[in-house]
Amino acid sequence: GNSVTQMEGPVTLSEEAFLTINCTYTATGYPSLFWYVQYPGEGLQLLLKATKADDKGSNKGFEATYRKETTSFHLEKGSVQVSDSAVYFCALSPRANSKLTFGKGITLSVRP
Amino acid sequence: AAGVIQSPRHLIKEKRETATLKCYPIPRHDTVYWYQQGPGQDPQFLISFYEKMQSDKGSIPDRFSAQQFSDYHSELNMSSLELGDSALYFCASRPTSGISYHEQFFGPGTRLTVL
């Protein structure tokens, strides 16, 4: 079946530090890949997506590249801010109309 | 821009009671998904509907049922509530076509607490 594996957390960084959150997946074919962010007490917001191999999704300074050869979709940001503190979920969808399968999520805390 | 609307936002019920959660998708979105997120957990898919027909089913207990109505809103009915049903319930909708075709847009969720 389909699955998503995220690095274990939580992660605590100082402001302006570099961020990498690892995500690998197992799926047949070419799933679409997503990063969702959940701020405290709020719902899920799509951060970025990639729908085919070698696509790079980007938004708000965050980037992730769809790597078919390593089945990975790692999230990166060059300089994190306190406002980036949230829970980050990697997810996949095997087809456009399919359910999302999420990773366990990782909590990011950014210190001033 | 219009977003997915869920009601109520918070719900407190006793064990063995019933609950009904409602979801109003973004206009012109014809697919609705329901997810359950337990405390500190990742969201788990429950059920989905496309054009008012059930399109997929996940780990939804038999005590739960759902449907999508002619105006595309959806309701999740939960009976014989158990303590373990306490969770955040998300609804998401997806457009039929366009550049956002692959995206699911999530509502703010309904937080259900079973006492």
Side-chain angles (χ1 to χ4, degrees):
Chain A
N2 302 317
S3 66
V4 176
T5 301
Q6 290 184 234
M7 60 184 276
E8 294 201 7
V11 172
T12 302
L13 296 173
S14 297
E15 203 166 24
E16 299 183 2
F18 183 82
L19 169 70
T20 298
I21 302 178
N22 290 342
C23 170
T24 58
Y25 68 90
T26 301
T28 54
Y30 294 86
S32 295
L33 301 174
F34 307 86
W35 277 100
Y36 280 87
V37 59
Q38 187 174 30
Y39 297 101
E42 297 187 12
L44 293 164
Q45 298 177 27
L46 179 65
L47 182 58
L48 52 83
K49 68 176 182 182
T51 58
K52 59 183 188 294
D54 300 324
D55 264 4
K56 176 186 281 189
S58 61
N59 185 28
K60 299 180 182 179
F62 290 90
E63 293 182 340
T65 301
Y66 189 146
R67 301 287 188 198
K68 180 69 175 174
E69 63 276 14
T70 55
T71 62
S72 64
F73 193 54
H74 304 322
L75 182 69
E76 296 182 336
K77 186 175 185 182
S79 176
V80 294
Q81 305 301 310
V82 172
S83 57
D84 293 327
S85 298
V87 180
Y88 291 81
F89 291 96
C90 184
L92 71 80
S93 176
R95 294 174 302 280
N97 59 348
S98 297
K99 65 186 179 187
L100 288 167
T101 297
F102 289 87
K104 292 300 181 187
I106 187 168
T107 300
L108 170 66
S109 298
V110 181
R111 298 184 302 235
Chain B
V4 176
I5 297 171
Q6 291 188 246
S7 68
R9 293 292 309 277
H10 302 273
L11 191 58
I12 300 175
K13 291 287 187 179
E14 300 278 341
K15 281 196 311 184
R16 292 180 288 278
E17 286 191 321
T18 60
T20 297
L21 279 55
K22 297 184 179 182
C23 169
Y24 298 86
I26 294 171
R28 292 179 294 282
H29 286 201
D30 55 5
T31 305
V32 167
Y33 305 82
W34 285 97
Y35 295 86
Q36 177 192 57
Q37 185 181 29
Q41 303 296 312
D42 55 300
Q44 295 291 316
F45 170 72
L46 292 177
I47 196 166
S48 62
F49 293 88
Y50 169 68
E51 282 290 343
K52 293 152 281 184
M53 299 287 289
Q54 181 182 307
S55 54
D56 196 5
K57 192 172 181 180
S59 49
I60 183 169
D62 292 340
R63 300 177 288 108
F64 293 6
S65 64
Q67 57 182 323
Q68 185 179 33
F69 294 85
S70 57
D71 64 351
Y72 294 102
H73 94 272
S74 179
E75 295 183 3
L76 177 66
N77 298 293
M78 311 161 70
S79 63
S80 303
L81 287 170
E82 302 174 357
L83 296 178
D85 297 328
S86 295
L88 196 52
Y89 291 84
F90 288 111
C91 170
S93 70
R94 189 181 63 84
T96 309
S97 60
I99 61 173
S100 299
Y101 180 62
H102 293 269
E103 296 178 32
Q104 293 184 25
F105 293 78
F106 281 77
T110 293
R111 184 169 296 282
L112 173 66
T113 302
V114 181
L115 302 176

